[in-house]
Amino acid sequence: MSEALSQPVRPSATSDLRDWLNVLAARGDLAVAHENMSLIDEIAAVAKRTEREKAVLFPRPGGHPIPVVANLFTQREWVADALGVAETHLLSHVLSAATNPVPSTEVASGPCQDIVHMDVDLLKQLPIPKHNELDSGPYITAGLLISRNPSTGVQNVAIHRCQVSGPNRIGVLLLPRHTLAFFRMAEQAGHALEIAIAIGVHPALLLASQAIAPLDFDEMHIAGALLGRSIDVVKCKTNAVRVPAQAEIVIEGRILPQVREPEGPFGEFPQYYGPRGAREVIEVDAITHRKHPIFHTIVGGSFEHLVMGGVPREATLLQHLKRSFPSVLDVRLTRGGTCRYHLVVKIDKANEGEPKNIIMGAFSGHYDIKQVVVVDKDVDISSSEEIEWAVATRFQADRDLVLVTGAQGSKLDPSSRDGISAKLGFDATAPITTDPLAFRRIQAKGADDVVLANVLEQSPGAAFGRIMAALS
Ligand code: MN
């Protein structure tokens, strides 16, 4: 990894949402929808249809003056582009950012506070969409929920699904992670937890929020390292939380102690609904935003949702595996496996049996991992077709399969028994052999280097006509 750690951040790394949208527009990757598409279902439907090709900007959604943007990433490669690194260096760049954080810089003012609303009405002031069919209503899905450790003041940055429950009320799902830890500390002391939700930020901040960092490790500092420059932050108007100065929109509020209200259902990353339940509640105190802000939304279960969580997990899993297995070259959480459950590991195999050790190592890397396929270095792990080919030609179930029953898995996997899950591993590597033809991939010599424009007719129809005329 040392060669990768020294890879410099390219100057193309952008710093706010608008910079990234400018990049996308300049290279033809930003679609613009007609005005007045409905915030209920319609925006999500269009974003879903373009999730593999284009980011989409929706002007005047539902007549609202604030435009909505979706699909900041439609391909894994875009994540690398947004960070200004080559895709081959993406994981090492993410890892290096987590180990070399760049502290934020507090500034006196920022565009995110150009306009201040102390009289809050969420659905009037912001264009908040409803996404999947059976979602309980409009949700804020791309907001960085920033909170402060009540005793140390260290901030945490995470994304939580936020249901609009009333003009100044949000139902929030706090899974057992850092925001919940801070909230429990506040609640036990009888206090609300001050928070802010920053919407419309650079992709690096969204990615950093998904890093597997320890408690009391401010993810904003990882974002600074991802971008190669410190993130400017400003203090909220109504509380002590510091938010990115360049954010488009900030919602300030408090998670109320001893209050739980219904939240959900909501369409989640496994492509199923997370159920309704009694959840924590945010009371909103203020909304601040730029003069003419942009609202970012993530359609639940869209590719943007999957890859945003997948890339930081890949980085952590790669680091975990490399520590024990020097032969590991790269990992991928596949799209079909919801960028969470199915892992592919590429290795430069040195010893027989090693792939099975790697499979067991991967299961211990994260409880979400349900299936591991280990392949050789000649397999392109960004291609599900290539991975299937490796299984088809280098794997025998009676010899190369690893099966573990009754392990901890993902509670969001509906086939698990409340999170109790089996684990499946495939050693799809070729045996180490001295036979030069065994497991040697066929190859049309020069196929990769051929320049088609130099060898194919520009007008094939006319050329075909001439050839057939001569043959008649
Ligand atoms: Mn954290």
Side-chain angles (χ1 to χ4, degrees):
M1 219 179 331
S2 52
E3 108 282 354
L5 285 175
S6 61
Q7 178 77 2
V9 177
R10 292 205 309 246
S12 57
T14 57
S15 66
D16 71 5
L17 174 64
R18 289 167 191 234
D19 289 330
W20 176 235
L21 295 181
N22 284 332
V23 168
L24 293 176
R27 62 188 207 190
D29 287 330
L30 179 71
V32 178
H34 292 163
E35 290 189 353
N36 264 306
M37 309 221 83
S38 174
L39 286 163
I40 307 299
D41 301 334
E42 196 174 20
I43 276 180
V46 174
K48 191 67 190 160
R49 281 292 292 273
T50 59
E51 70 171 350
R52 286 167 196 254
E53 296 114 44
K54 304 257 186 197
V56 203
L57 186 68
F58 298 91
R60 298 200 65 80
H64 204 286
I66 299 177
V68 170
V69 69
N71 299 352
L72 297 189
F73 313 114
T74 66
Q75 299 156 42
R76 191 175 179 275
E77 193 182 359
W78 287 22
V79 181
D81 295 344
L83 301 180
V85 295
E87 193 181 359
T88 47
H89 285 92
L90 177 58
L91 299 187
S92 55
H93 183 64
V94 171
L95 279 177
S96 134
T99 45
N100 303 284
V102 174
S104 309
T105 305
E106 184 152 354
V107 294
S109 64
C112 71
Q113 295 178 332
D114 281 348
I115 309 289
V116 178
H117 298 280
M118 298 301 292
D119 203 4
V120 172
D121 189 334
L122 286 163
L123 292 181
K124 260 196 200 126
Q125 283 149 353
L126 301 176
I128 307 174
K130 169 180 175 272
H131 302 94
N132 284 296
E133 185 185 10
L134 300 183
D135 286 1
S136 59
Y139 265 82
I140 297 159
T141 55
L144 301 179
L145 197 156
I146 307 171
S147 55
R148 294 170 77 80
N149 182 323
S151 50
T152 65
V154 175
Q155 294 208 150
N156 189 69
V157 186
I159 299 178
H160 298 270
R161 66 188 208 212
C162 290
Q163 168 191 276
V164 178
S165 303
N168 67 341
R169 227 166 163 80
I170 289 170
V172 61
L173 176 68
L174 304 180
L175 292 175
R177 293 194 294 252
H178 300 160
T179 311
L180 183 61
F182 289 179
F183 174 64
R184 290 224 167 108
M185 291 163 72
E187 189 175 48
Q188 270 158 23
H191 302 138
L193 180 73
E194 295 182 343
I195 59 104
I197 301 169
I199 302 162
V201 295
H202 187 272
L205 277 80
L206 296 162
L207 282 167
S209 76
Q210 303 301 296
I212 321 274
L215 190 75
D216 273 348
F217 191 107
D218 188 340
E219 286 84 359
M220 203 89 77
H221 303 180
I222 298 177
L226 285 175
L227 284 172
R229 74 183 70 127
S230 176
I231 306 289
D232 285 349
V233 294
V234 286
K235 187 186 157 301
C236 281
K237 294 290 181 188
T238 62
N239 64 40
V241 175
R242 268 65 167 181
V243 292
Q246 301 297 322
E248 297 286 326
I249 297 161
V250 176
I251 296 171
E252 302 181 4
R254 292 156 291 120
I255 308 180
L256 304 174
Q258 312 303 336
V259 179
R260 305 292 187 275
E261 291 173 4
E263 182 274 338
F266 177 77
E268 278 286 358
F269 73 83
Q271 316 295 318
Y272 295 100
Y273 290 95
R276 193 167 179 81
R279 308 272 150 72
E280 282 77 5
V281 173
I282 296 167
E283 195 166 271
V284 180
D285 298 312
I287 295 175
T288 74
H289 58 75
R290 292 186 181 222
K291 283 199 185 75
H292 300 288
I294 302 170
F295 186 96
H296 174 211
T297 203
I298 297 174
V299 179
S302 66
F303 186 58
E304 184 180 13
H305 185 181
L306 300 187
V307 78
M308 198 170 285
V311 166
R313 281 174 173 79
E314 286 173 353
T316 307
L317 286 160
L318 180 62
Q319 184 183 42
H320 166 80
L321 287 174
K322 277 189 171 219
R323 206 174 284 141
S324 309
F325 308 104
S327 59
V328 170
L329 300 175
D330 201 3
V331 300
R332 202 68 91 247
L333 288 162
T334 64
R335 185 175 180 142
T338 75
C339 293
R340 301 289 192 282
Y341 298 160
H342 288 184
L343 183 76
V344 183
V345 184
K346 173 148 80 172
I347 68 169
D348 186 2
K349 185 169 161 181
N351 297 292
E352 293 299 349
E354 193 177 34
K356 287 192 179 171
N357 296 45
I358 290 169
I359 287 165
M360 293 184 281
F363 292 151
S364 73
H366 196 294
Y367 61 78
D368 272 352
I369 302 296
K370 182 180 184 185
Q371 176 185 297
V372 180
V373 181
V374 182
V375 298
D376 291 304
K377 62 181 174 181
D378 63 340
V379 176
D380 175 4
I381 59 172
S382 61
S383 160
S384 51
E385 201 174 294
E386 286 257 322
I387 296 159
E388 187 179 358
W389 171 80
V391 172
T393 64
R394 296 176 177 176
F395 166 84
Q396 285 294 317
D398 58 349
R399 187 182 68 204
D400 299 321
L401 186 77
V402 175
L403 179 63
V404 178
T405 58
Q408 185 192 0
S410 165
K411 286 196 178 196
L412 289 175
D413 169 4
S415 69
S416 76
R417 294 183 311 277
D418 194 29
I420 304 298
S421 176
K423 307 282 180 185
L424 186 59
F426 297 79
D427 172 1
T429 61
I432 295 168
T433 168
T434 51
D435 178 349
L437 274 188
F439 293 97
R440 166 85 178 255
R441 278 185 93 155
I442 61 164
Q443 161 160 272
K445 197 174 175 189
D448 290 343
D449 303 321
V450 138
V451 180
L452 289 180
N454 293 347
V455 298
L456 297 182
E457 292 287 349
Q458 296 300 307
S459 313
F464 177 66
R466 285 195 306 274
I467 292 165
M468 293 313 284
L471 293 176
S472 64

